[in-house]
Amino acid sequence: MIEEGAKAPAFTMPTDGGGEISLEALKGKRVVLYFYPRDDTPGCTREACAFRDMHPDLQSLDAVVIGVSKDTTTSHDKFKAKYELPFTLAADTDGAVCEAYGVWVEKTMYGRKSMGIERATVLIDDAGTIRRIWRKVKVDGHAETVKAAIEAL
């Protein structure tokens, strides 16, 4: 399980648009790594659009936003285009990054248990240290909370 103050686990993932992103390549930037269950679902869409709307402010704070789910890059391409998302969506199709960040968890819905991605956000500073972790994120107001945490760095 990751902890605030610890070094962020390294990752390299394929992204929308046929790209690739790694934590190493983001050294010197503040990284908002947000994990979400699935492209184009109501809660995930609201969260992505909130980060979209906050994106200029986050960029001005030298922060890079990366949305992570187990969806394919093809799914990410469609989701990104549909909602005009200006940030990277990374495809953790094998779940390795979700496991490393402790967001692949048992969930219960309507009495049935299954494994899935916990909605969570990790703020990584420019030196690669985890500064904040938000678990079981409630979408409303979350992007603003993340922005305030970056401003406090």
Side-chain angles (χ1 to χ4, degrees), residues 21 30-34 51 55 58 63-67 87-89:
I21 195 154
R30 297 163 169 175
V31 178
V32 175
L33 196 63
Y34 85 92
F51 277 119
H55 194 254
L58 297 175
V64 175
V65 176
I66 305 166
F87 50 83
T88 300
L89 297 178

Side-chain angles (χ1 to χ4, degrees), residues 65-77:
V65 176
I66 305 166
V68 180
S69 76
K70 290 185 73 172
D71 293 301
T72 64
T73 55
T74 302
S75 176
H76 283 341
D77 285 334

Side-chain angles (χ1 to χ4, degrees), residues 16-80:
D16 60 87
E20 184 176 89
I21 195 154
S22 69
L23 185 58
E24 179 66 28
L26 297 169
K27 197 171 266 178
K29 297 268 190 194
R30 297 163 169 175
V31 178
V32 175
L33 196 63
Y34 85 92
F35 294 88
Y36 65 99
R38 195 160 178 170
D39 287 342
D40 214 7
T41 56
C44 297
T45 298
R46 283 190 7 257
E47 183 176 27
C49 290
F51 277 119
R52 175 199 64 203
D53 297 346
M54 187 65 61
H55 194 254
D57 294 333
L58 297 175
Q59 274 190 310
S60 73
L61 296 169
D62 205 26
V64 175
V65 176
I66 305 166
V68 180
S69 76
K70 290 185 73 172
D71 293 301
T72 64
T73 55
T74 302
S75 176
H76 283 341
D77 285 334
K78 291 175 186 171
F79 185 47
K80 187 171 182 168

Side-chain angles (χ1 to χ4, degrees), residues 142-153:
H142 180 61
E144 292 82 3
T145 300
V146 171
K147 177 185 172 221
I150 295 169
E151 289 172 331
L153 290 181

